[in-house]
Amino acid sequence: MNRLTAQFAFLDEIDQLKNIERSNCLIDLSRQENSAEHSWHLALFALILAPEAGDDVDINKAILMLLLHDIVEIDAGDHPIHEDHDWQQVAINERRAADRIYGLLPSDIASDFRDTWTEFEACKTPTARFAKMLDHIQPVLQTVAPQTPIDWHRGIANETLTTGRASWLREAWPGVWQYARNMVDGTLTPEQLASDTGRRLAFLLEADKLKTVLRATPISDNSRRENSGEHSWHIALYAPTLADQAGVGVNINRIIQMLIIHDIVEIDAGDAPIHGDFDVAAQEEKEQQAATRLFGLLPGLQASELRALWDEFEAAKSPDAVFAKSIDRVQPLLQNMAAGGGSWKDYNVTLEQLDTRIGVKVAKGAPKVWDFIRDRTEKWFKVDA
């Protein structure tokens, strides 16, 4: 097996995380959350709350930890904290899952990802502790964010903060713990809401809406359409997995951050399928307005920095943005092939259209990736014909 085959075997396999349901609901209470979109949301939490982390925390590594942390659930499943489990057996099952899933990768990437996951699980380093704090507090905030939370969900959130797995944040991160405590009690103050922490959390809770934005592309098993939250998780992991395909001087950590936020504007503007028929100028205007509103929820300097990062991705002129755009175009190709054509059939897409609409952009930033994918797509169209 050559290197790219192994890299894409992993990227194809982890699509299954989109079907692992958690006990948490989305903030609009429309359905249960899945572990892929949860992992994206947590990575976004790390990026947005980075100014509140200690100087000894490696934010880029924390983001990678959170993108990777639940992949083992593909084999081991999710284990809600309010249920009884044999945690020793769960740990054994998760290690076996890590062996299998990370073992799909070339050995150097497998070792890096597995070590990152193991560090997160051990929770001994400052970076792992920060990542764990986010993993423990995010479900609480999401549970009590609905205008009328489900009563028994609120009870679990209260227990989690008081005596459960988030209770240690009372000492480790008192400001965020108290914010969550007041959310549960419905006693948030104007000062809390207007604080930098309050503005960051407002942005993060608004970002939950990205999980309800449906894309044209199906998930790989063709059971439903993909949403933009889980897509953002998947494509963010394309960057470190395919880092060896990036050009000289490309900063993979910046690209991961770009891809975590690249579709956030779809909360207001919706998804615009690349093969669809829509007014490009009108869509771009909607996205610009969405970026102004959404990033404007954040404290001033952070709002400007993240808006600039999003603008850089959209312009697709810097080496980082060119590579980010390239791999963003690759993921739907693989999912459409796995799903028996997916949106290609919906839009009557031809191989020639893939070459002109997608191939040129992928080849610009990742030429070897396009050669690899082009061969697979050509074979698919020949078989389908």
Side-chain angles (χ1 to χ4, degrees):
M1 181 184 294
N2 67 35
R3 188 172 175 87
L4 275 173
T5 300
Q7 288 161 301
F8 279 104
F10 171 78
L11 292 169
D12 289 344
E13 180 70 7
I14 64 174
D15 189 79
Q16 294 184 58
L17 197 64
K18 300 168 189 174
N19 279 327
I20 302 299
E21 284 193 344
R22 294 167 45 80
S23 60
N24 280 76
C25 291
L26 305 190
I27 289 175
D28 69 1
L29 302 179
S30 60
R31 62 171 173 82
Q32 288 175 267
E33 181 183 48
N34 69 61
S35 292
E37 61 198 355
H38 165 70
S39 297
W40 162 74
H41 208 181
L42 275 177
L44 183 66
F45 262 68
L47 176 61
I48 299 303
L49 291 171
E52 305 191 27
D55 293 338
D56 51 357
V57 172
D58 181 340
I59 289 297
N60 292 316
K61 191 170 189 181
I63 288 171
L64 182 60
M65 281 181 180
L66 293 167
L67 291 171
L68 295 170
H69 82 293
D70 272 348
I71 283 176
V72 294
E73 293 185 1
I74 291 170
D75 290 356
D78 179 58
H79 298 86
I81 59 171
H82 60 283
E83 297 178 1
D84 292 330
H85 304 283
D86 181 344
W87 292 109
Q88 184 176 4
Q89 187 61 51
V90 168
I92 292 170
N93 293 343
E94 290 183 345
R95 287 194 295 271
R96 288 173 179 164
D99 288 342
R100 184 188 74 81
I101 299 168
Y102 294 125
L104 297 171
L105 287 159
S107 60
D108 57 324
I109 307 174
S111 178
D112 180 45
F113 283 9
R114 176 63 187 269
D115 288 349
T116 301
W117 175 79
T118 300
E119 181 181 342
F120 171 80
E121 288 297 305
C123 194
K124 292 182 179 179
T125 65
T127 298
R129 282 173 58 83
F130 178 70
K132 279 284 186 181
M133 286 193 288
L134 296 173
D135 189 33
H136 289 175
I137 201 66
Q138 183 263 358
V140 174
L141 297 169
Q142 186 168 311
T143 295
V144 297
Q147 188 171 5
T148 307
I150 298 171
D151 283 343
W152 70 273
H153 284 191
R154 187 195 294 271
I156 292 172
N158 180 60
E159 182 181 350
T160 301
L161 281 176
T162 306
T163 59
R165 70 173 190 165
S167 60
W168 66 293
L169 273 69
R170 187 199 304 258
E171 303 297 330
W173 202 353
V176 169
W177 183 90
Q178 189 61 57
Y179 197 99
R181 175 75 272 165
N182 287 16
M183 278 189 71
V184 171
D185 296 339
T187 57
L188 281 172
T189 67
E191 290 76 18
Q192 284 177 306
L193 291 168
S195 68
D196 283 355
T197 296
R199 295 185 66 179
R200 290 178 182 124
L201 291 175
F203 173 87
L204 288 165
L205 294 175
E206 181 73 0
D208 190 77
K209 293 177 180 178
L210 195 64
K211 302 168 189 173
T212 67
V213 176
L214 296 181
R215 294 165 46 82
T217 310
I219 61 174
S220 291
D221 68 4
N222 204 27
S223 61
R224 60 174 175 82
R225 290 163 64 190
E226 182 183 48
N227 71 64
S228 292
E230 61 196 353
H231 164 75
S232 296
W233 164 77
H234 204 179
I235 202 62
L237 272 175
Y238 267 59
T241 303
L242 298 173
D244 58 355
Q245 298 297 318
V248 176
V250 169
N251 185 327
I252 293 298
N253 289 326
R254 289 189 78 245
I255 290 167
I256 293 171
Q257 293 182 15
M258 277 184 186
L259 293 170
I260 288 171
I261 66 169
H262 81 292
D263 274 346
I264 201 81
V265 295
E266 293 182 4
I267 289 171
D268 290 355
D271 178 56
I274 192 170
H275 302 296
D277 182 15
F278 59 92
D279 185 328
V280 175
Q283 179 66 21
E284 289 179 350
E285 177 59 26
K286 286 195 293 185
E287 291 180 355
Q288 289 293 327
Q289 292 176 2
T292 298
R293 182 185 80 82
L294 291 162
F295 292 121
L297 297 173
L298 292 164
L301 178 60
Q302 190 174 29
S304 299
E305 290 174 346
L306 288 178
R307 173 63 185 268
L309 189 65
W310 180 83
D311 285 336
E312 180 183 344
F313 174 82
E314 287 298 303
K317 293 180 179 179
S318 70
D320 288 353
V322 168
F323 185 70
K325 281 280 187 180
S326 295
I327 58 177
D328 187 37
R329 298 300 186 199
V330 168
Q331 184 249 18
L333 300 179
L334 296 170
Q335 293 192 192
N336 276 326
M337 281 189 282
S343 61
W344 294 343
K345 291 186 174 180
D346 296 336
Y347 294 99
N348 297 313
V349 177
T350 66
L351 182 59
E352 290 71 26
Q353 288 173 326
L354 290 182
D355 284 336
T356 56
R357 296 174 181 175
I358 296 173
V360 172
K361 294 179 180 180
V362 177
K364 185 177 180 181
K368 291 182 180 178
V369 170
W370 177 243
D371 290 343
F372 179 83
I373 296 299
R374 177 59 168 74
D375 181 63
R376 291 175 69 171
T377 53
E378 183 176 18
K379 290 176 180 176
W380 187 91
F381 275 93
K382 285 181 178 179
V383 170
D384 188 59

